[in-house]
Amino acid sequence: MAPIDPSKTPIVWILGGPGSGKGTQCEKIIAKYGFTHLSTGDLLRAEVKSGSERAKCLSAIMERGELVPNDLVLDLLKEAMLAKTDEAKGFLIDGYPREKSQGIAFEKTIAPVTVIIYFEASSETLTKRLLGRAASSGRADDNEETIKLRLKTFLDNNDQVLAQYPEKLKRINAEDSVDAIFSQVVQILDPLVK
Ligand code: AP5
């Protein structure tokens, strides 16, 4: 497996609170740019489904709205990225890093990030969206109590994560409509693929 060269294959971190629209925007980015999407939440849910001993412990952590251990997330992510290195036009890393140390470990062991897109929305908006999604998502963490805990975990860590990357960070107002947000995303990503 070849190492990842970010000058040929951009690496984009997609950040934002729970329910900020990371997954929604990633779908649109994939459709337009064909980037490879890796959501740490999805990778962890797949691991939980495997039913291993480790999966039981992961599931409990996620239902408490806490962060799972860094080493485990980074291992899953690294493995998934390396498996796609040859075919990827770009990597969309959705929901990582969630702690300052995660960002540092990623750049040290995988590659430097190219750009960071941060979807910014109020806690009220995030809560409303997640409660709206709860009826159909089937996610064990989409309930009022866990949503509160997920928000707290996010608020406790987010400023420190963002502060690490003043030059690479692009903030987008995520209170807007899905299409209005995407038009701003396009302005950030178009220069990377030309
Ligand atoms: P994860 O799966 O990443 O969940 P999350 O960050 O809480 O985010 P969501 O997937 O719930 O929301 P989203 O931002 O993708 O919004 P979406 O597009 O779905 O993580 C789950 C758990 O895994 C964590 O709590 C943690 O335990 C663990 N974990 C994950 N990563 C980790 C890491 N790096 N380290 C350690 N632990 C980790 O949209 C939400 C809703 O809003 C939808 O209904 C959508 O239709 C709607 N919507 C979207 N955009 C708009 C808009 N502009 N206007 C109106 N509605 C909108």
Side-chain angles (χ1 to χ4, degrees):
M1 286 181 288
I4 296 161
D5 176 357
S7 69
K8 296 192 185 115
T9 314
I11 298 177
V12 183
W13 289 348
I14 302 290
L15 302 184
S20 58
K22 301 183 294 293
T24 303
Q25 294 296 324
C26 281
E27 278 181 26
K28 294 179 79 70
I29 297 170
I30 297 161
K32 183 169 170 71
Y33 298 98
F35 284 3
T36 296
H37 176 220
L38 296 169
S39 149
T40 46
D42 288 347
L43 290 171
L44 290 166
R45 279 185 288 277
E47 184 71 21
V48 165
K49 267 198 186 160
S50 75
S52 63
E53 261 319 293
R54 185 167 72 172
K56 279 184 213 146
C57 153
L58 278 182
S59 171
I61 294 171
M62 291 167 80
E63 283 177 37
R64 291 197 301 271
E66 293 170 3
L67 298 177
V68 310
N70 289 353
D71 289 355
L72 173 58
V73 187
L74 188 61
D75 280 354
L76 286 173
L77 197 51
K78 190 175 174 186
E79 209 173 284
M81 285 181 80
L82 289 176
K84 300 277 182 182
T85 305
D86 291 340
E87 66 196 62
K89 295 181 185 164
F91 282 107
L92 279 181
I93 309 298
D94 167 358
Y96 186 104
R98 292 186 194 228
E99 275 185 330
K100 184 176 161 186
S101 58
Q102 288 193 351
I104 294 167
F106 182 103
E107 293 203 298
K108 202 168 150 196
T109 60
I110 300 179
V113 63
T114 310
V115 71
I116 301 163
I117 299 181
Y118 170 56
F119 296 118
E120 198 158 24
S122 69
S123 296
E124 291 71 28
T125 298
L126 301 180
T127 304
K128 202 168 127 197
R129 286 188 191 162
L130 291 177
L131 288 175
R133 190 182 69 180
S136 59
S137 71
R139 272 177 56 168
D141 60 353
D142 275 353
N143 60 74
E144 206 163 347
E145 195 48 39
T146 309
I147 289 169
K148 271 190 210 151
L149 298 167
R150 285 159 70 192
L151 267 173
K152 181 180 181 319
T153 300
F154 165 70
L155 294 170
D156 285 348
N157 292 292
N158 186 50
D159 287 348
Q160 274 201 1
V161 172
L162 300 186
Q164 283 281 103
Y165 309 96
E167 277 142 34
K168 292 183 177 178
L169 180 65
K170 309 285 180 193
R171 290 173 183 265
I172 293 184
N173 176 4
E175 303 273 348
D176 243 325
S177 70
V178 170
D179 288 342
I181 294 169
F182 188 61
S183 68
Q184 293 188 60
V185 169
V186 166
Q187 285 175 33
I188 297 166
L189 296 185
D190 267 359
L192 300 184
V193 296
K194 289 192 174 132

